[in-house]
Amino acid sequence: MVHLPPMTFTNFNLPINKAILKNNGHTVVVSFLTQQPPTISGGPLIGDYEFAQIHFHWGANNAEGSENTINNNSYPLEAHAVFFQQAYGSFQEAIEHPDGLTVLAFLFQVSDIDNENYGSITEVLPQLKEPFANTAIDDFPPLEKLIAQETSVYYFYGGSLTTPPCNEAVTWIEFTNTVPLGQKQINND
């Protein structure tokens, strides 16, 4: 068993004044307009990583959707919070380095109760059905409200972006604890 120092989540608790949601033709991507972006450090990471965006992967039913599995179990939805190594100055520069990015991956499980933290996102998803459509949300929830509440147990591995340009520049951190989301929210009913 490997014992790593704890990860440090900075500014994850700060409210987001405005979030921009965009259908990039593949998924929904959320970026923030904020003076103090969330950062992560510690654990398997060397240096500080700054938030770039969060996006989602979901499938046709509750038995598929997540890109990753744990113990061969797939989940209906997975969120990827993408961060870039601050030492490289930008996301574009960071993807050129093997330690340039880290992706925090969160799996979702179906809940009998809607997750109020995702209400503002699921409410605008119908506006994002067409590729390259976008919208903004004011007073977006802090990032800590969108991720698993328990983040001390995780797997990590080196890999690549899962969409073009597929650079091998990512430290993946997959959390074992899930985020609850109501069935209607997952279906976007």
Side-chain angles (χ1 to χ4, degrees):
M1 179 178 288
V2 175
H3 293 283
L4 297 168
M7 284 190 287
T8 302
F9 298 84
T10 305
N11 296 337
F12 275 60
N13 62 332
L14 297 180
I16 306 300
N17 294 334
K18 182 173 280 198
I20 308 298
L21 289 78
K22 181 177 182 178
N23 177 336
N24 69 0
H26 176 70
T27 189
V28 174
V29 178
V30 182
S31 57
F32 300 156
L33 300 177
T34 180
Q35 296 295 320
Q36 296 176 296
T39 62
I40 187 163
S41 60
L45 305 174
I46 297 173
D48 296 325
Y49 287 75
E50 182 176 319
F51 179 82
Q53 49 102 328
I54 187 169
H55 62 270
F56 304 90
H57 299 274
W58 60 92
N61 59 58
N62 291 342
E64 58 185 43
S66 61
E67 286 193 335
N68 292 294
T69 61
I70 295 180
N71 295 326
N72 294 320
N73 291 317
S74 187
Y75 294 79
L77 179 67
E78 182 170 357
H80 292 162
V82 181
F83 293 74
F84 67 91
Q85 168 66 270
Q86 284 182 326
Y88 298 126
S90 71
F91 177 87
Q92 283 308 116
E93 180 60 30
I95 64 172
E96 301 300 326
H97 301 274
D99 65 342
L101 304 176
T102 191
V103 176
L104 307 182
F106 299 95
L107 299 166
F108 288 71
Q109 68 180 21
V110 177
S111 171
D112 292 335
I113 301 168
D114 284 351
N115 184 331
E116 66 183 36
N117 297 313
Y118 275 85
S120 61
I121 295 173
T122 58
E123 186 177 291
V124 300
L125 284 178
Q127 299 171 34
L128 301 172
K129 294 220 184 261
E130 295 297 319
F132 311 108
N134 65 71
T135 191
I137 299 175
D138 294 325
D139 300 319
F140 198 76
L143 189 55
E144 75 176 1
K145 299 288 187 182
L146 302 178
I147 64 172
Q149 296 305 297
E150 173 53 55
T151 55
S152 64
V153 181
Y154 58 88
Y155 300 99
F156 76 95
Y157 56 95
S160 66
L161 293 170
T162 60
T163 58
C166 300
N167 296 48
E168 292 188 21
V170 182
T171 299
W172 283 89
I173 300 175
E174 183 82 36
F175 294 92
T176 60
N177 291 301
T178 59
V179 178
L181 201 63
Q183 184 67 63
K184 286 184 178 183
Q185 291 176 298
I186 290 173
N187 294 345
N188 194 32
D189 290 343

